[in-house]
Each structure stands twice: as structure tokens, then as C-alpha cells.
Amino acid sequence: YKVTFPMTAKVAVKGADKVPLYAALTSAPKYAGEVGWNFEKFLVGRNGEVVGRFKSGVEPLSDELVGAIKKELAAK
């Protein structure tokens, strides 16, 4: 894509040094708690609130995750 800025970087997702994004994701009332392992997934709704959280073992194309995405996209 010929971007000139870093597209990814290693960041803290747990503990006192956690970056603001993960601080917000892991403090959502219904989905609060530290990230358990790599590939944990968060689903954010149109209003910016966390509407789903899926552990590492949930495959990206699983019925559970795809269904949650479709449901959120259909919500008005």
C-alpha cells in the first residue's frame, strides 16, 4: 500500500503499561479482564462499545464469530 508510517508495532496489552486501546477493550463492563493469549479478538459496535470478545481458540471464520459480526452489522 506504499504507506510511510509503521503499520504494526509491538505494544503492551496487559499490565500497568498496557496501551490505551487495550485498556479500553479490557475494561468494558461485560467483557472486562486481561487478555489471555495471542489472537484474542474483540468486536466493537458502531457506537464504539465492545459488543463481543472471543478467546484465542475461536477461529476467525467460525460460525460463532462470523455470526456475531453479521448480527452487529444488521443492527441499526
Side-chain angles (χ1 to χ4, degrees), residues 46 71-76:
R46 295 173 195 263
K71 180 180 175 185
E72 191 58 31
L73 288 172
K76 294 187 180 197

Side-chain angles (χ1 to χ4, degrees), residues 23-46:
L25 292 171
T26 59
S27 66
K30 189 175 176 183
Y31 304 101
E34 294 286 6
V35 170
W37 195 252
N38 291 343
F39 306 110
E40 194 157 327
K41 295 158 275 304
F42 294 86
L43 180 58
V44 178
R46 295 173 195 263

Side-chain angles (χ1 to χ4, degrees), residues 53-54 58 61-69:
R53 184 171 178 172
F54 304 88
V58 176
L61 296 177
S62 69
D63 290 342
E64 179 183 8
L65 182 52
V66 171
I69 293 168

Side-chain angles (χ1 to χ4, degrees), residues 13-24:
V13 299
K14 308 170 77 161
D17 294 330
K18 131 178 32 168
V19 296
L21 171 62
Y22 280 93

